[in-house]
């Protein structure tokens, strides 16, 4: 079965990679779908976000990375995927994720969103906190893949 793991990934964190790796052990194929998300005004352009993810997931043979600019369900349909995988960190994630899962199911019957609990060490990790720490010169070692860490220190 093919699953889509969507997000803005601005930038990918070790928490994202953990979810992608765990999903790759469950599904035959995982497509990481990077949303352009222009309204979120990402720090990194979509090509850079894709490059980060490609280098961090190259060791998983059944994982590929692509981008989309539109509805997630349209991307899923184009790729013949019926499963959306999302990570959940804390209760605070739940409300928004629940809304998106219900909307996506309403937009496209038959698409299921499956949630994976974040591993405890990544429960309080987010792309935003990584950008904030790094922006003030703090270390993000271990919180992001190596390729992201290099680029963040230069921003
Ligand atoms: O990492 P994020 O920013 O929480 O990911 C959110 C994302 C990209 C998965 C979500 O915003 C999304 O699916 N955007 C595409 C537009 C869409 O399909 N919207 C309707 C779903 S409610």
């Amino acid at each position: 079965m093919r699953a889509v793991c969507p997000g803005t990934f601005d930038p990918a964190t070790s928490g994202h990679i953990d979810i992608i790796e765990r999903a790759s052990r469950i599904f035959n194929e995982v497509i990481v779908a990077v949303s352009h998300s222009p309204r979120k005004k990402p720090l990194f352009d979509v090509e850079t976000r894709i490059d980060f993810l490609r280098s961090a997931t190259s060791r998983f043979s059944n994982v590929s990375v692509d981008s989309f600019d539109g509805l997630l369900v349209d991307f899923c349909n184009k790729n013949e995927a019926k499963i959306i995988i999302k990570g959940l960190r804390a209760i605070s994630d739940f409300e928004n994720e629940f809304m998106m899962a219900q909307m996506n199911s309403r937009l496209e019957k038959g698409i299921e969103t499956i949630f994976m609990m974040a591993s405890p060490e990544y429960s309080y990790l987010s792309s935003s906190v990584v950008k904030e720490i790094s922006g003030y010169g703090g270390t993000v070692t271990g919180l992001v893949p190596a390729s992201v860490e290099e680029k963040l220190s230069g921003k």
Side-chain angles (χ1 to χ4, degrees):
M1 211 162 212
R2 182 179 292 155
V4 167
C5 189
T8 305
F9 302 106
D10 182 46
T13 68
S14 304
H16 291 130
I17 306 305
D18 179 58
I19 296 286
I20 294 165
E21 175 172 11
R22 286 160 55 200
S24 78
R25 287 195 224 118
I26 298 171
F27 297 96
N28 304 110
E29 202 184 323
V30 175
I31 307 174
V32 181
V34 182
S35 165
H36 283 243
S37 300
R39 278 192 299 154
K40 293 191 176 173
K41 298 199 175 11
L43 177 65
F44 295 103
D45 61 34
V46 74
E47 286 76 22
T48 306
R49 286 179 273 148
I50 290 174
D51 287 347
F52 287 152
L53 281 157
R54 287 209 173 120
S55 56
T57 61
S58 59
R59 62 190 190 277
F60 313 130
S61 58
N62 59 342
V63 173
S64 61
V65 185
D66 199 354
S67 66
F68 73 106
D69 192 12
L71 287 177
L72 176 57
V73 291
D74 291 340
F75 180 86
C76 290
N77 283 339
K78 199 179 87 189
N79 289 281
E80 296 176 356
K82 295 263 175 229
I83 308 282
I84 295 169
I85 292 285
K86 298 289 312 256
L88 271 187
R89 288 162 300 187
I91 293 171
S92 51
D93 277 345
F94 182 79
E95 199 166 339
N96 190 39
E97 292 297 344
F98 191 42
M99 179 277 288
M100 287 196 280
Q102 291 188 331
M103 262 316 150
N104 285 328
S105 163
R106 187 192 167 99
L107 286 168
E108 186 61 49
K109 294 266 165 297
I111 287 202
E112 286 290 348
T113 303
I114 297 182
F115 293 100
M116 296 180 79
M117 296 301 162
S119 295
E121 62 268 42
Y122 303 129
S123 277
Y124 295 98
L125 177 56
S126 66
S127 300
S128 315
V129 86
V130 159
K131 283 182 282 191
E132 182 163 316
I133 293 171
S134 159
Y136 287 117
T139 174
V140 291
T141 306
L143 301 180
V144 291
S147 55
V148 175
E149 190 180 347
E150 272 167 36
K151 196 87 174 218
L152 265 176
S153 56
K155 274 263 176 190

